[in-house]
Every structure is written in C-alpha cells, then in structure tokens.
mmCIF file with all atom_site columns, all heavy atoms in Angstrom:
data_model
loop_
_atom_site.group_PDB
_atom_site.id
_atom_site.type_symbol
_atom_site.label_atom_id
_atom_site.label_alt_id
_atom_site.label_comp_id
_atom_site.label_asym_id
_atom_site.label_entity_id
_atom_site.label_seq_id
_atom_site.pdbx_PDB_ins_code
_atom_site.Cartn_x
_atom_site.Cartn_y
_atom_site.Cartn_z
_atom_site.occupancy
_atom_site.B_iso_or_equiv
_atom_site.pdbx_formal_charge
_atom_site.auth_seq_id
_atom_site.auth_comp_id
_atom_site.auth_asym_id
_atom_site.auth_atom_id
_atom_site.pdbx_PDB_model_num
ATOM 1   N N   . ALA A 1 1  ? -78.132 -157.940 -73.762 1.00 0.00 ? 886 ALA A N   1
ATOM 2   C CA  . ALA A 1 1  ? -76.741 -157.649 -73.854 1.00 0.00 ? 886 ALA A CA  1
ATOM 3   C C   . ALA A 1 1  ? -76.499 -156.118 -73.947 1.00 0.00 ? 886 ALA A C   1
ATOM 4   O O   . ALA A 1 1  ? -75.357 -155.640 -73.870 1.00 0.00 ? 886 ALA A O   1
ATOM 5   C CB  . ALA A 1 1  ? -76.149 -158.299 -75.042 1.00 0.00 ? 886 ALA A CB  1
ATOM 6   N N   . LEU A 1 2  ? -77.516 -155.358 -74.208 1.00 0.00 ? 887 LEU A N   1
ATOM 7   C CA  . LEU A 1 2  ? -77.385 -153.903 -74.304 1.00 0.00 ? 887 LEU A CA  1
ATOM 8   C C   . LEU A 1 2  ? -76.857 -153.392 -72.920 1.00 0.00 ? 887 LEU A C   1
ATOM 9   O O   . LEU A 1 2  ? -77.374 -153.685 -71.843 1.00 0.00 ? 887 LEU A O   1
ATOM 10  C CB  . LEU A 1 2  ? -78.637 -153.178 -74.621 1.00 0.00 ? 887 LEU A CB  1
ATOM 11  C CG  . LEU A 1 2  ? -79.225 -153.442 -76.018 1.00 0.00 ? 887 LEU A CG  1
ATOM 12  C CD1 . LEU A 1 2  ? -80.661 -152.865 -76.112 1.00 0.00 ? 887 LEU A CD1 1
ATOM 13  C CD2 . LEU A 1 2  ? -78.325 -152.915 -77.129 1.00 0.00 ? 887 LEU A CD2 1
ATOM 14  N N   . PRO A 1 3  ? -75.876 -152.409 -72.958 1.00 0.00 ? 888 PRO A N   1
ATOM 15  C CA  . PRO A 1 3  ? -75.358 -151.907 -71.645 1.00 0.00 ? 888 PRO A CA  1
ATOM 16  C C   . PRO A 1 3  ? -76.431 -151.027 -70.959 1.00 0.00 ? 888 PRO A C   1
ATOM 17  O O   . PRO A 1 3  ? -76.434 -150.842 -69.727 1.00 0.00 ? 888 PRO A O   1
ATOM 18  C CB  . PRO A 1 3  ? -74.133 -151.096 -72.116 1.00 0.00 ? 888 PRO A CB  1
ATOM 19  C CG  . PRO A 1 3  ? -74.327 -150.861 -73.547 1.00 0.00 ? 888 PRO A CG  1
ATOM 20  C CD  . PRO A 1 3  ? -75.109 -151.970 -74.124 1.00 0.00 ? 888 PRO A CD  1
ATOM 21  N N   . ARG A 1 4  ? -77.300 -150.403 -71.733 1.00 0.00 ? 889 ARG A N   1
ATOM 22  C CA  . ARG A 1 4  ? -78.328 -149.580 -71.092 1.00 0.00 ? 889 ARG A CA  1
ATOM 23  C C   . ARG A 1 4  ? -79.706 -149.973 -71.807 1.00 0.00 ? 889 ARG A C   1
ATOM 24  O O   . ARG A 1 4  ? -79.793 -150.141 -73.027 1.00 0.00 ? 889 ARG A O   1
ATOM 25  C CB  . ARG A 1 4  ? -78.113 -148.055 -71.417 1.00 0.00 ? 889 ARG A CB  1
ATOM 26  C CG  . ARG A 1 4  ? -76.839 -147.550 -70.719 1.00 0.00 ? 889 ARG A CG  1
ATOM 27  C CD  . ARG A 1 4  ? -76.986 -147.432 -69.232 1.00 0.00 ? 889 ARG A CD  1
ATOM 28  N NE  . ARG A 1 4  ? -75.838 -146.821 -68.672 1.00 0.00 ? 889 ARG A NE  1
ATOM 29  C CZ  . ARG A 1 4  ? -74.743 -147.458 -68.262 1.00 0.00 ? 889 ARG A CZ  1
ATOM 30  N NH1 . ARG A 1 4  ? -74.650 -148.765 -68.456 1.00 0.00 ? 889 ARG A NH1 1
ATOM 31  N NH2 . ARG A 1 4  ? -73.732 -146.813 -67.787 1.00 0.00 ? 889 ARG A NH2 1
ATOM 32  N N   . THR A 1 5  ? -80.725 -150.152 -71.033 1.00 0.00 ? 890 THR A N   1
ATOM 33  C CA  . THR A 1 5  ? -82.011 -150.664 -71.554 1.00 0.00 ? 890 THR A CA  1
ATOM 34  C C   . THR A 1 5  ? -83.076 -149.532 -71.455 1.00 0.00 ? 890 THR A C   1
ATOM 35  O O   . THR A 1 5  ? -82.822 -148.529 -70.811 1.00 0.00 ? 890 THR A O   1
ATOM 36  C CB  . THR A 1 5  ? -82.427 -151.867 -70.889 1.00 0.00 ? 890 THR A CB  1
ATOM 37  O OG1 . THR A 1 5  ? -82.611 -151.664 -69.475 1.00 0.00 ? 890 THR A OG1 1
ATOM 38  C CG2 . THR A 1 5  ? -81.507 -152.991 -71.127 1.00 0.00 ? 890 THR A CG2 1
ATOM 39  N N   . ALA A 1 6  ? -84.193 -149.808 -71.998 1.00 0.00 ? 891 ALA A N   1
ATOM 40  C CA  . ALA A 1 6  ? -85.306 -148.866 -72.088 1.00 0.00 ? 891 ALA A CA  1
ATOM 41  C C   . ALA A 1 6  ? -85.796 -148.326 -70.743 1.00 0.00 ? 891 ALA A C   1
ATOM 42  O O   . ALA A 1 6  ? -86.247 -147.222 -70.669 1.00 0.00 ? 891 ALA A O   1
ATOM 43  C CB  . ALA A 1 6  ? -86.396 -149.432 -72.922 1.00 0.00 ? 891 ALA A CB  1
ATOM 44  N N   . GLN A 1 7  ? -85.693 -149.199 -69.678 1.00 0.00 ? 892 GLN A N   1
ATOM 45  C CA  . GLN A 1 7  ? -86.212 -148.756 -68.452 1.00 0.00 ? 892 GLN A CA  1
ATOM 46  C C   . GLN A 1 7  ? -85.450 -147.591 -67.835 1.00 0.00 ? 892 GLN A C   1
ATOM 47  O O   . GLN A 1 7  ? -85.841 -146.931 -66.867 1.00 0.00 ? 892 GLN A O   1
ATOM 48  C CB  . GLN A 1 7  ? -86.195 -149.908 -67.388 1.00 0.00 ? 892 GLN A CB  1
ATOM 49  C CG  . GLN A 1 7  ? -84.739 -150.332 -66.967 1.00 0.00 ? 892 GLN A CG  1
ATOM 50  C CD  . GLN A 1 7  ? -84.799 -151.450 -65.914 1.00 0.00 ? 892 GLN A CD  1
ATOM 51  O OE1 . GLN A 1 7  ? -85.915 -151.923 -65.592 1.00 0.00 ? 892 GLN A OE1 1
ATOM 52  N NE2 . GLN A 1 7  ? -83.613 -151.808 -65.381 1.00 0.00 ? 892 GLN A NE2 1
ATOM 53  N N   . GLU A 1 8  ? -84.250 -147.327 -68.357 1.00 0.00 ? 893 GLU A N   1
ATOM 54  C CA  . GLU A 1 8  ? -83.392 -146.197 -67.891 1.00 0.00 ? 893 GLU A CA  1
ATOM 55  C C   . GLU A 1 8  ? -83.762 -144.945 -68.605 1.00 0.00 ? 893 GLU A C   1
ATOM 56  O O   . GLU A 1 8  ? -83.210 -143.855 -68.305 1.00 0.00 ? 893 GLU A O   1
ATOM 57  C CB  . GLU A 1 8  ? -81.967 -146.533 -68.108 1.00 0.00 ? 893 GLU A CB  1
ATOM 58  C CG  . GLU A 1 8  ? -81.486 -147.772 -67.260 1.00 0.00 ? 893 GLU A CG  1
ATOM 59  C CD  . GLU A 1 8  ? -80.045 -148.159 -67.566 1.00 0.00 ? 893 GLU A CD  1
ATOM 60  O OE1 . GLU A 1 8  ? -79.180 -147.316 -67.286 1.00 0.00 ? 893 GLU A OE1 1
ATOM 61  O OE2 . GLU A 1 8  ? -79.836 -149.239 -67.953 1.00 0.00 ? 893 GLU A OE2 1
ATOM 62  N N   . CYS A 1 9  ? -84.737 -144.895 -69.506 1.00 0.00 ? 894 CYS A N   1
ATOM 63  C CA  . CYS A 1 9  ? -85.186 -143.681 -70.122 1.00 0.00 ? 894 CYS A CA  1
ATOM 64  C C   . CYS A 1 9  ? -85.923 -142.766 -69.065 1.00 0.00 ? 894 CYS A C   1
ATOM 65  O O   . CYS A 1 9  ? -86.803 -143.204 -68.349 1.00 0.00 ? 894 CYS A O   1
ATOM 66  C CB  . CYS A 1 9  ? -86.213 -144.024 -71.264 1.00 0.00 ? 894 CYS A CB  1
ATOM 67  S SG  . CYS A 1 9  ? -86.962 -142.543 -72.003 1.00 0.00 ? 894 CYS A SG  1
ATOM 68  N N   . VAL A 1 10 ? -85.466 -141.485 -69.047 1.00 0.00 ? 895 VAL A N   1
ATOM 69  C CA  . VAL A 1 10 ? -86.060 -140.536 -68.086 1.00 0.00 ? 895 VAL A CA  1
ATOM 70  C C   . VAL A 1 10 ? -87.093 -139.641 -68.745 1.00 0.00 ? 895 VAL A C   1
ATOM 71  O O   . VAL A 1 10 ? -87.612 -138.696 -68.089 1.00 0.00 ? 895 VAL A O   1
ATOM 72  C CB  . VAL A 1 10 ? -84.923 -139.743 -67.382 1.00 0.00 ? 895 VAL A CB  1
ATOM 73  C CG1 . VAL A 1 10 ? -84.076 -140.659 -66.590 1.00 0.00 ? 895 VAL A CG1 1
ATOM 74  C CG2 . VAL A 1 10 ? -84.105 -138.993 -68.464 1.00 0.00 ? 895 VAL A CG2 1
ATOM 75  N N   . GLY A 1 11 ? -87.290 -139.853 -70.091 1.00 0.00 ? 896 GLY A N   1
ATOM 76  C CA  . GLY A 1 11 ? -88.291 -139.105 -70.744 1.00 0.00 ? 896 GLY A CA  1
ATOM 77  C C   . GLY A 1 11 ? -87.959 -137.610 -70.928 1.00 0.00 ? 896 GLY A C   1
ATOM 78  O O   . GLY A 1 11 ? -88.787 -136.753 -71.071 1.00 0.00 ? 896 GLY A O   1
ATOM 79  N N   . CYS A 1 12 ? -86.585 -137.360 -71.113 1.00 0.00 ? 897 CYS A N   1
ATOM 80  C CA  . CYS A 1 12 ? -86.169 -135.960 -71.293 1.00 0.00 ? 897 CYS A CA  1
ATOM 81  C C   . CYS A 1 12 ? -86.567 -135.423 -72.692 1.00 0.00 ? 897 CYS A C   1
ATOM 82  O O   . CYS A 1 12 ? -86.650 -134.165 -72.784 1.00 0.00 ? 897 CYS A O   1
ATOM 83  C CB  . CYS A 1 12 ? -84.682 -135.814 -71.117 1.00 0.00 ? 897 CYS A CB  1
ATOM 84  S SG  . CYS A 1 12 ? -83.679 -136.645 -72.376 1.00 0.00 ? 897 CYS A SG  1
ATOM 85  N N   . GLY A 1 13 ? -86.725 -136.283 -73.579 1.00 0.00 ? 898 GLY A N   1
ATOM 86  C CA  . GLY A 1 13 ? -87.209 -135.796 -74.976 1.00 0.00 ? 898 GLY A CA  1
ATOM 87  C C   . GLY A 1 13 ? -86.151 -135.393 -75.843 1.00 0.00 ? 898 GLY A C   1
ATOM 88  O O   . GLY A 1 13 ? -86.471 -134.813 -76.941 1.00 0.00 ? 898 GLY A O   1
ATOM 89  N N   . ALA A 1 14 ? -84.848 -135.375 -75.434 1.00 0.00 ? 899 ALA A N   1
ATOM 90  C CA  . ALA A 1 14 ? -83.770 -134.964 -76.319 1.00 0.00 ? 899 ALA A CA  1
ATOM 91  C C   . ALA A 1 14 ? -83.751 -135.703 -77.642 1.00 0.00 ? 899 ALA A C   1
ATOM 92  O O   . ALA A 1 14 ? -83.492 -135.075 -78.697 1.00 0.00 ? 899 ALA A O   1
ATOM 93  C CB  . ALA A 1 14 ? -82.434 -135.107 -75.569 1.00 0.00 ? 899 ALA A CB  1
ATOM 94  N N   . CYS A 1 15 ? -84.042 -137.036 -77.604 1.00 0.00 ? 900 CYS A N   1
ATOM 95  C CA  . CYS A 1 15 ? -84.072 -137.767 -78.848 1.00 0.00 ? 900 CYS A CA  1
ATOM 96  C C   . CYS A 1 15 ? -85.170 -137.321 -79.781 1.00 0.00 ? 900 CYS A C   1
ATOM 97  O O   . CYS A 1 15 ? -84.991 -137.236 -81.031 1.00 0.00 ? 900 CYS A O   1
ATOM 98  C CB  . CYS A 1 15 ? -84.242 -139.236 -78.502 1.00 0.00 ? 900 CYS A CB  1
ATOM 99  S SG  . CYS A 1 15 ? -85.552 -139.566 -77.309 1.00 0.00 ? 900 CYS A SG  1
ATOM 100 N N   . GLU A 1 16 ? -86.299 -137.067 -79.234 1.00 0.00 ? 901 GLU A N   1
ATOM 101 C CA  . GLU A 1 16 ? -87.495 -136.662 -80.063 1.00 0.00 ? 901 GLU A CA  1
ATOM 102 C C   . GLU A 1 16 ? -87.236 -135.383 -80.791 1.00 0.00 ? 901 GLU A C   1
ATOM 103 O O   . GLU A 1 16 ? -87.694 -135.179 -81.857 1.00 0.00 ? 901 GLU A O   1
ATOM 104 C CB  . GLU A 1 16 ? -88.760 -136.660 -79.249 1.00 0.00 ? 901 GLU A CB  1
ATOM 105 C CG  . GLU A 1 16 ? -89.186 -138.078 -78.743 1.00 0.00 ? 901 GLU A CG  1
ATOM 106 C CD  . GLU A 1 16 ? -90.624 -137.975 -78.092 1.00 0.00 ? 901 GLU A CD  1
ATOM 107 O OE1 . GLU A 1 16 ? -91.120 -136.945 -77.904 1.00 0.00 ? 901 GLU A OE1 1
ATOM 108 O OE2 . GLU A 1 16 ? -91.086 -139.119 -77.793 1.00 0.00 ? 901 GLU A OE2 1
ATOM 109 N N   . LYS A 1 17 ? -86.514 -134.482 -80.061 1.00 0.00 ? 902 LYS A N   1
ATOM 110 C CA  . LYS A 1 17 ? -86.214 -133.145 -80.690 1.00 0.00 ? 902 LYS A CA  1
ATOM 111 C C   . LYS A 1 17 ? -85.329 -133.297 -81.900 1.00 0.00 ? 902 LYS A C   1
ATOM 112 O O   . LYS A 1 17 ? -85.358 -132.512 -82.843 1.00 0.00 ? 902 LYS A O   1
ATOM 113 C CB  . LYS A 1 17 ? -85.552 -132.263 -79.656 1.00 0.00 ? 902 LYS A CB  1
ATOM 114 C CG  . LYS A 1 17 ? -86.534 -131.853 -78.593 1.00 0.00 ? 902 LYS A CG  1
ATOM 115 C CD  . LYS A 1 17 ? -85.845 -130.996 -77.496 1.00 0.00 ? 902 LYS A CD  1
ATOM 116 C CE  . LYS A 1 17 ? -86.799 -130.736 -76.301 1.00 0.00 ? 902 LYS A CE  1
ATOM 117 N NZ  . LYS A 1 17 ? -86.067 -129.998 -75.209 1.00 0.00 ? 902 LYS A NZ  1
ATOM 118 N N   . ARG A 1 18 ? -84.465 -134.336 -81.919 1.00 0.00 ? 903 ARG A N   1
ATOM 119 C CA  . ARG A 1 18 ? -83.518 -134.564 -82.949 1.00 0.00 ? 903 ARG A CA  1
ATOM 120 C C   . ARG A 1 18 ? -84.041 -135.392 -84.093 1.00 0.00 ? 903 ARG A C   1
ATOM 121 O O   . ARG A 1 18 ? -83.454 -135.446 -85.139 1.00 0.00 ? 903 ARG A O   1
ATOM 122 C CB  . ARG A 1 18 ? -82.182 -135.127 -82.397 1.00 0.00 ? 903 ARG A CB  1
ATOM 123 C CG  . ARG A 1 18 ? -81.342 -134.227 -81.600 1.00 0.00 ? 903 ARG A CG  1
ATOM 124 C CD  . ARG A 1 18 ? -80.008 -134.841 -81.310 1.00 0.00 ? 903 ARG A CD  1
ATOM 125 N NE  . ARG A 1 18 ? -80.003 -136.054 -80.532 1.00 0.00 ? 903 ARG A NE  1
ATOM 126 C CZ  . ARG A 1 18 ? -79.949 -136.027 -79.158 1.00 0.00 ? 903 ARG A CZ  1
ATOM 127 N NH1 . ARG A 1 18 ? -79.742 -134.866 -78.519 1.00 0.00 ? 903 ARG A NH1 1
ATOM 128 N NH2 . ARG A 1 18 ? -79.962 -137.132 -78.474 1.00 0.00 ? 903 ARG A NH2 1
ATOM 129 N N   . CYS A 1 19 ? -85.084 -136.113 -83.872 1.00 0.00 ? 904 CYS A N   1
ATOM 130 C CA  . CYS A 1 19 ? -85.616 -137.076 -84.842 1.00 0.00 ? 904 CYS A CA  1
ATOM 131 C C   . CYS A 1 19 ? -86.182 -136.385 -86.064 1.00 0.00 ? 904 CYS A C   1
ATOM 132 O O   . CYS A 1 19 ? -87.208 -135.575 -85.905 1.00 0.00 ? 904 CYS A O   1
ATOM 133 C CB  . CYS A 1 19 ? -86.678 -137.936 -84.206 1.00 0.00 ? 904 CYS A CB  1
ATOM 134 S SG  . CYS A 1 19 ? -87.338 -139.203 -85.400 1.00 0.00 ? 904 CYS A SG  1
ATOM 135 N N   . PRO A 1 20 ? -85.669 -136.540 -87.251 1.00 0.00 ? 905 PRO A N   1
ATOM 136 C CA  . PRO A 1 20 ? -86.209 -135.875 -88.462 1.00 0.00 ? 905 PRO A CA  1
ATOM 137 C C   . PRO A 1 20 ? -87.690 -136.398 -88.852 1.00 0.00 ? 905 PRO A C   1
ATOM 138 O O   . PRO A 1 20 ? -88.407 -135.747 -89.577 1.00 0.00 ? 905 PRO A O   1
ATOM 139 C CB  . PRO A 1 20 ? -85.234 -136.225 -89.586 1.00 0.00 ? 905 PRO A CB  1
ATOM 140 C CG  . PRO A 1 20 ? -84.060 -136.787 -88.878 1.00 0.00 ? 905 PRO A CG  1
ATOM 141 C CD  . PRO A 1 20 ? -84.489 -137.365 -87.611 1.00 0.00 ? 905 PRO A CD  1
ATOM 142 N N   . PHE A 1 21 ? -88.002 -137.581 -88.262 1.00 0.00 ? 906 PHE A N   1
ATOM 143 C CA  . PHE A 1 21 ? -89.297 -138.193 -88.636 1.00 0.00 ? 906 PHE A CA  1
ATOM 144 C C   . PHE A 1 21 ? -90.332 -138.126 -87.546 1.00 0.00 ? 906 PHE A C   1
ATOM 145 O O   . PHE A 1 21 ? -91.424 -138.719 -87.621 1.00 0.00 ? 906 PHE A O   1
ATOM 146 C CB  . PHE A 1 21 ? -89.082 -139.626 -89.094 1.00 0.00 ? 906 PHE A CB  1
ATOM 147 C CG  . PHE A 1 21 ? -88.027 -139.732 -90.072 1.00 0.00 ? 906 PHE A CG  1
ATOM 148 C CD1 . PHE A 1 21 ? -86.697 -140.298 -89.789 1.00 0.00 ? 906 PHE A CD1 1
ATOM 149 C CD2 . PHE A 1 21 ? -88.175 -139.209 -91.381 1.00 0.00 ? 906 PHE A CD2 1
ATOM 150 C CE1 . PHE A 1 21 ? -85.745 -140.372 -90.772 1.00 0.00 ? 906 PHE A CE1 1
ATOM 151 C CE2 . PHE A 1 21 ? -87.151 -139.318 -92.350 1.00 0.00 ? 906 PHE A CE2 1
ATOM 152 C CZ  . PHE A 1 21 ? -85.911 -139.915 -92.048 1.00 0.00 ? 906 PHE A CZ  1
ATOM 153 N N   . HIS A 1 22 ? -90.040 -137.421 -86.479 1.00 0.00 ? 907 HIS A N   1
ATOM 154 C CA  . HIS A 1 22 ? -90.965 -137.202 -85.397 1.00 0.00 ? 907 HIS A CA  1
ATOM 155 C C   . HIS A 1 22 ? -91.532 -138.447 -84.716 1.00 0.00 ? 907 HIS A C   1
ATOM 156 O O   . HIS A 1 22 ? -92.784 -138.601 -84.503 1.00 0.00 ? 907 HIS A O   1
ATOM 157 C CB  . HIS A 1 22 ? -92.082 -136.147 -85.838 1.00 0.00 ? 907 HIS A CB  1
ATOM 158 C CG  . HIS A 1 22 ? -91.608 -134.943 -86.473 1.00 0.00 ? 907 HIS A CG  1
ATOM 159 N ND1 . HIS A 1 22 ? -91.728 -134.700 -87.791 1.00 0.00 ? 907 HIS A ND1 1
ATOM 160 C CD2 . HIS A 1 22 ? -90.898 -133.884 -85.918 1.00 0.00 ? 907 HIS A CD2 1
ATOM 161 C CE1 . HIS A 1 22 ? -91.216 -133.512 -88.058 1.00 0.00 ? 907 HIS A CE1 1
ATOM 162 N NE2 . HIS A 1 22 ? -90.709 -133.029 -86.991 1.00 0.00 ? 907 HIS A NE2 1
ATOM 163 N N   . VAL A 1 23 ? -90.597 -139.360 -84.515 1.00 0.00 ? 908 VAL A N   1
ATOM 164 C CA  . VAL A 1 23 ? -91.029 -140.658 -83.912 1.00 0.00 ? 908 VAL A CA  1
ATOM 165 C C   . VAL A 1 23 ? -91.313 -140.420 -82.446 1.00 0.00 ? 908 VAL A C   1
ATOM 166 O O   . VAL A 1 23 ? -90.613 -139.698 -81.761 1.00 0.00 ? 908 VAL A O   1
ATOM 167 C CB  . VAL A 1 23 ? -89.922 -141.710 -84.065 1.00 0.00 ? 908 VAL A CB  1
ATOM 168 C CG1 . VAL A 1 23 ? -90.183 -142.965 -83.298 1.00 0.00 ? 908 VAL A CG1 1
ATOM 169 C CG2 . VAL A 1 23 ? -89.621 -141.986 -85.564 1.00 0.00 ? 908 VAL A CG2 1
ATOM 170 N N   . ALA A 1 24 ? -92.365 -141.070 -81.953 1.00 0.00 ? 909 ALA A N   1
ATOM 171 C CA  . ALA A 1 24 ? -92.599 -141.031 -80.477 1.00 0.00 ? 909 ALA A CA  1
ATOM 172 C C   . ALA A 1 24 ? -91.668 -141.933 -79.721 1.00 0.00 ? 909 ALA A C   1
ATOM 173 O O   . ALA A 1 24 ? -92.023 -143.048 -79.222 1.00 0.00 ? 909 ALA A O   1
ATOM 174 C CB  . ALA A 1 24 ? -94.138 -141.480 -80.244 1.00 0.00 ? 909 ALA A CB  1
ATOM 175 N N   . VAL A 1 25 ? -90.451 -141.462 -79.472 1.00 0.00 ? 910 VAL A N   1
ATOM 176 C CA  . VAL A 1 25 ? -89.394 -142.289 -78.914 1.00 0.00 ? 910 VAL A CA  1
ATOM 177 C C   . VAL A 1 25 ? -89.689 -142.619 -77.484 1.00 0.00 ? 910 VAL A C   1
ATOM 178 O O   . VAL A 1 25 ? -89.522 -143.774 -77.068 1.00 0.00 ? 910 VAL A O   1
ATOM 179 C CB  . VAL A 1 25 ? -88.050 -141.515 -79.030 1.00 0.00 ? 910 VAL A CB  1
ATOM 180 C CG1 . VAL A 1 25 ? -86.970 -142.418 -78.406 1.00 0.00 ? 910 VAL A CG1 1
ATOM 181 C CG2 . VAL A 1 25 ? -87.675 -141.260 -80.518 1.00 0.00 ? 910 VAL A CG2 1
ATOM 182 N N   . ILE A 1 26 ? -90.197 -141.692 -76.705 1.00 0.00 ? 911 ILE A N   1
ATOM 183 C CA  . ILE A 1 26 ? -90.481 -141.854 -75.288 1.00 0.00 ? 911 ILE A CA  1
ATOM 184 C C   . ILE A 1 26 ? -91.532 -143.030 -75.111 1.00 0.00 ? 911 ILE A C   1
ATOM 185 O O   . ILE A 1 26 ? -91.359 -143.890 -74.297 1.00 0.00 ? 911 ILE A O   1
ATOM 186 C CB  . ILE A 1 26 ? -90.967 -140.615 -74.562 1.00 0.00 ? 911 ILE A CB  1
ATOM 187 C CG1 . ILE A 1 26 ? -89.820 -139.610 -74.647 1.00 0.00 ? 911 ILE A CG1 1
ATOM 188 C CG2 . ILE A 1 26 ? -91.393 -140.915 -73.189 1.00 0.00 ? 911 ILE A CG2 1
ATOM 189 C CD1 . ILE A 1 26 ? -90.256 -138.195 -74.117 1.00 0.00 ? 911 ILE A CD1 1
ATOM 190 N N   . GLU A 1 27 ? -92.561 -143.014 -75.966 1.00 0.00 ? 912 GLU A N   1
ATOM 191 C CA  . GLU A 1 27 ? -93.540 -144.055 -75.892 1.00 0.00 ? 912 GLU A CA  1
ATOM 192 C C   . GLU A 1 27 ? -92.989 -145.419 -76.300 1.00 0.00 ? 912 GLU A C   1
ATOM 193 O O   . GLU A 1 27 ? -93.256 -146.437 -75.705 1.00 0.00 ? 912 GLU A O   1
ATOM 194 C CB  . GLU A 1 27 ? -94.716 -143.725 -76.849 1.00 0.00 ? 912 GLU A CB  1
ATOM 195 C CG  . GLU A 1 27 ? -95.812 -144.810 -77.022 1.00 0.00 ? 912 GLU A CG  1
ATOM 196 C CD  . GLU A 1 27 ? -96.374 -145.209 -75.591 1.00 0.00 ? 912 GLU A CD  1
ATOM 197 O OE1 . GLU A 1 27 ? -96.358 -144.510 -74.703 1.00 0.00 ? 912 GLU A OE1 1
ATOM 198 O OE2 . GLU A 1 27 ? -97.023 -146.293 -75.631 1.00 0.00 ? 912 GLU A OE2 1
#
C-alpha cells in the first residue's frame, strides 16, 4: 500500500547523511 517502495531507491545517500544513528539505509 506504500505509494513508493524500496525498489525506487536511487542510492543518493541523502537519508544516510541525515541519520543521527548512521544506519545503512541504502543497504
């Protein structure tokens, strides 16, 4: 039901730069 799913990730890394806990979001 999510409007956008994980396959649409382009690996830009913007999320990882903002994560205070350094989660491997792209992985």
Side-chain angles (χ1 to χ4, degrees):
L887 293 173
R889 299 285 185 273
T890 58
Q892 70 176 5
E893 297 176 62
C894 174
V895 296
C897 69
C900 49
E901 292 190 353
K902 292 174 184 176
R903 288 191 294 266
C904 180
F906 308 108
H907 308 110
V908 173
V910 179
I911 296 173
E912 174 59 18

